[in-house]
Amino acid sequence: MTDFILKLITGGGYFGIFALMVLENVFPPIPSEVIMGLGGIAVARGQMDFLTLVLVGTAGTLLGNYFWYWIGWRIGYQRFRPFVERHGRWLTLDWHEVERLHRFFVSHGHWVIFVFRFMPTGRTLISLPAGLTCMPHWKFVIWTFAGSAVWNAVLTGAGVYLGSNFERLQDYVGPVALAVMALMIGWYLYRVATWRPRG
């Protein structure tokens, strides 16, 4: 599987990287850890340039995330209210909490966007509340690009370092991603079990 994806990446060149990173953030077929890590292997083999690869991959990440930001922007958080009031238990939110999160995101959303770019889970979904709270476009673009560039550079560098032994990267990234996902699921189930609406 790894060799097949590597051939796909090198065969498609930078456009292939860009397209895969857009898709990974809209509907993830292949995780970015694999795409950029294998791109790093291509760099190690002299088939790609490190800086160009990171910039192209980050541009794809930005475009894919902008899709979810745009959807949130079109909906607007006020239109979200009937949905929250109907499905509050499963969202573990009532409207008071949504408004509190909205205020927090308006004040500190740029840091949230930046930090979430380093998380194996949630780094794409965070674009939706950014749009819902109408974060300025320029701010979303700058912080998404900055965080994604750092993360993609790390993944590419890991691919370069490991060379053809990319499985070693998967040995580390895979368990961490699973552990984070398990914690998030556990936290969500706890919230569902203990959540009570205000009043």
Side-chain angles (χ1 to χ4, degrees), residues 44-131:
R45 295 179 178 179
Q47 298 168 323
M48 287 186 170
D49 173 70
F50 183 93
L51 181 59
T52 305
L53 174 64
V54 171
L55 290 176
V56 168
T58 302
T61 301
L62 176 61
L63 183 59
N65 277 279
Y66 196 85
F67 170 80
W68 292 110
Y69 169 84
W70 179 81
I71 288 178
W73 181 279
R74 293 287 294 176
I75 295 173
Y77 97 104
Q78 286 291 347
R79 293 183 186 176
F80 199 49
R81 183 167 187 164
F83 184 81
V84 171
E85 291 176 345
R86 184 173 182 179
H87 303 287
R89 165 159 296 281
W90 301 110
L91 296 170
T92 68
L93 290 170
D94 58 24
W95 189 245
H96 172 79
E97 290 173 301
V98 171
E99 289 187 319
R100 185 159 52 87
L101 289 170
H102 175 263
R103 290 191 295 269
F104 175 81
F105 216 93
V106 168
S107 301
H108 308 288
H110 55 294
W111 288 112
V112 177
I113 288 290
F114 182 80
V115 170
F116 260 73
R117 296 304 164 200
F118 305 98
M119 298 196 176
T121 56
R123 61 173 171 259
T124 296
L125 292 178
I126 196 63
S127 302
L128 190 60

Side-chain angles (χ1 to χ4, degrees), residues 3 6 10 39-48 163-164:
D3 289 337
L6 184 57
T10 54
I41 292 176
V43 171
R45 295 179 178 179
Q47 298 168 323
M48 287 186 170
S164 60

Side-chain angles (χ1 to χ4, degrees), residues 130-145:
L132 286 170
T133 56
C134 296
M135 173 182 281
H137 292 255
W138 65 268
K139 186 178 289 188
F140 176 80
V141 167
I142 288 175
W143 289 98
T144 297
F145 191 91

Side-chain angles (χ1 to χ4, degrees), residues 120 161-162 165-178:
Y161 174 75
L162 294 173
N165 296 317
F166 184 72
E167 290 78 8
R168 290 170 56 193
L169 178 62
Q170 294 174 311
D171 289 342
Y172 292 104
V173 173
V176 171
L178 288 174

